[in-house]
Amino acid sequence: MTLIHKTQICIIGAGPSGLLLAQLLSNAGIDTIVLDRKDRAYIEGRVRAGVLEQGTVKALEEAGVAERVHAEGLPHDGFELAFDGVRHRIDLAGLTGSSVMVYGQTEVTKDLFDARTAAGQQFFFNVEHVVPSDLKSGEPSVQFELDGVQHVIKCDYIAGCDGFHGVSRKAIPQDVLKTFERVYPFGWLGILVDKPPVSHELIYANHEDGFALASMRSETRSRYYIQCDVNDDLSQWSDDRFWEAFAKRLGPDTAANLQIGASFEKSIAPLRSFVAEPMGYGALFLAGDAAHIVPPTGAKGLNLAVADVRLLARALMSHYDGNDHHIDSYSQTVLNRVWKVERFSWQLSMLMHQFPDNAPFDKRMQRAEFDYIASSEAASKAIAENYVGLPLE
Ligand code: RFL
Ligand code: PHB
C-alpha cells in the first residue's frame, strides 16, 4: 500500500532552514509538508549556534515568531579578538550602526516548532528512505517510508533543507553538481555550564595552545569552546582538563573572572568549509547546510541558512504571483552571498587557530594580521560589517 499526499512545497528537513521556510510560506497562504528523519525532541536538543544577525531576527519577525527572541535574547554591540592575552574590541555598533543578538539555535527551533504546531500544520517525523524524484518531469514528488508504510508526496517544488548529510543535494546528478571543500585539521570542544559568562561580550582568543571562545546563552549560562584534536574522545576531556586549558588560553587577566562548574553538555564538532553548486535542479532547491558549511568561527552557519530561506521564500511566493524571475535566479543570487560569507568564516578561522603544520612564518603572519586589525579602523570595520551580516543581495 502506498499513501499519496499532495502539497505545494514539500520541505525535507525540520532544522531551522526547513522550519523557517515552512512558516514564511504558510503565512503567505502556501501549503507545505515538512518531513524529518528525526523527531522534534531530538532536533530541539541539538546545541549549535548562538549568535543571530539582525537580518535573522528580522526573518523571525516576518515569520511571526520573534516575541521570545526580543524578550530573552541578549543584544551585543561588540565582541573581542584576543591574541596571547592582548584583547581588541570590535565595536560593532560604532563601526556599522548595527549589532547582533545572542539567542540559541535550540530556542529558535523551539519557537518555530511551536508556531507550526499551533497552526495545525503537517509534519512527518522519523521518516526513512527519503527520495526526491522526477525533478525535471513537471510532476515532482518525494517518496519515503514511515512505520513500514510507503508514502508519496506530490508537489510543485521540493525544498532540500536536510543539512550536510541529507539526501537532497545527492539527488542532483553528479555531472551537474560541483562541490568545493576544505576540512580543517582540528575540531571544537564545546561545553555548556550554568555559570555567568566570563565577560559580557564574546571573546575569540588565539593562544599558542590553540583557539578558545567565550560565548553565552544567557546571563547565567555560558557556552565555551576550545580547539581540540577532532579525533579526541570526549572521555579524554574531564571538566577539570577543560577548565585548565580554557583559562590558560584566555590569559590570566580574563581568567580571573572565570566561574567554573559542572558542564551539562559536551561535544566535539569538526570544522569544514563546503559549497555545492548549483543550489537548485529542476523542481528542487537547496537551502542551508544542505548546500554549504562554514566553520563556526564567524557564527555564520545558522545566519547563512536563514538568508537562503528568505530568498527562497521570496522566490516561491513570486512564483505563485506569476513571476518566475526569482526562482530562475535563486541559485546564482544565493551563491554570490554564500561565497562572501565562506570567505569571512575561512579568514577568521585561519587567523584565530593554531594549525599543526604552521611554520614560524605563518605564525608571524597571523600576529601581523591581528596587529593590523587592532590598529586600523578600516580593518576592524571590515570584520564588523561581516560579523553583523552582509546585505541579503
Ligand atoms: P540542520 O540543522 O542540519 O537540519 C537539517 C535537518 O534535516 C534532517 N534530515 C533529514 N530529514 C529527512 N530526510 C533525510 N534524509 C534527512 N537528512 C537529514 C535532519 O534530521 C535535520 O533535522 O540544517 P539547517 O536547517 O540548514 O540549519 C543549519 C544550522 O543548523 C547550521 O548551519 C548551524 O548549526 C551550524 N553550526 C553552527 N553555526 C553557528 O553559527 N555557530 C555554531 O556554534 C555552530 N555549531 C553547527 C555547530 C553545526 C553542527 N553540525 C551540523 C554538526 C555545531 C555542529 C555540531
Ligand atoms: C555559540 O555561542 O555557540 C557561538 C558563538 C559564536 C561563534 C560560534 C558559536 O562564532
Side-chain angles (χ1 to χ4, degrees), residues 13 15-17 36-37 46 48-49 105 130 161-162 225 289 299 301-302:
S17 302
D36 203 289
R37 66 173 173 183
R46 288 193 291 227
R48 291 182 175 175
Q105 179 168 333
V130 177
C161 300
D162 49 352
Y225 297 94
D289 280 16
L302 173 60

Side-chain angles (χ1 to χ4, degrees), residues 26 127 296:
S26 299
V127 299

